[in-house]
Amino acid sequence: MERPAAEAGAGEARASLRRHRQDRRRRQAGPGLAIDYQIITEIRAFEVSTEGADTAVVEIFAKILNDRNGTVRAQKAFRATAGVKGAGNPAFIKAIDQAFAGVSAEIVSWTLGTI
């Protein structure tokens, strides 16, 4: 038995909308890229705290995004600190560099373990 024209048209419209949404998610996730995942980061802290002993603080929130469907596979906040040894800007820069290196290493390790 054939479906009425209105019912068939509604089914085609739903299928078209579904394809449009999938295409839109693919474009938003990684336009023109042939990748499986993206790591999206948000810097939450990148500073030297001078309350008490001078301490560099780096905190980065990371999400692993499935690039094929736009869903978040995992997410986590990473934080590292490093004491400032010495005085002045060179000491601050070295401490921030150490804290950032710690956070970066954690993000890489977590990512490899997750995907």
Side-chain angles (χ1 to χ4, degrees):
M1 180 174 180
E2 289 187 37
R3 295 186 303 176
E7 192 176 308
E12 290 171 13
R14 281 192 299 274
S16 176
L17 180 60
R18 190 175 325 112
R19 283 191 304 275
H20 170 73
R21 286 180 179 157
Q22 289 171 343
D23 288 344
R24 193 173 99 209
R25 271 187 296 224
R26 271 190 230 112
R27 283 194 306 272
Q28 289 173 340
L33 302 174
I35 57 176
D36 294 324
Y37 296 98
Q38 290 187 53
I39 300 173
I40 311 297
T41 59
E42 174 186 313
I43 299 172
R44 294 194 172 168
F46 197 86
E47 62 195 17
V48 174
S49 173
T50 57
E51 295 177 18
D54 291 347
T55 305
V57 179
V58 175
E59 184 175 350
I60 298 176
F61 181 78
K63 290 191 273 191
I64 297 176
L65 181 70
N66 182 324
D67 199 55
R68 302 211 185 269
N69 61 19
T71 60
V72 174
R73 170 122 185 221
Q75 55 189 352
K76 184 176 178 181
F78 299 87
R79 181 181 173 90
T81 61
V84 176
K85 297 176 182 134
N89 288 340
F92 292 158
I93 292 167
K94 188 172 182 178
I96 287 177
D97 188 45
Q98 288 174 336
F100 180 72
V103 166
S104 299
E106 287 182 48
I107 291 172
V108 169
S109 179
W110 169 74
T111 301
L112 292 174
T114 302
I115 60 173

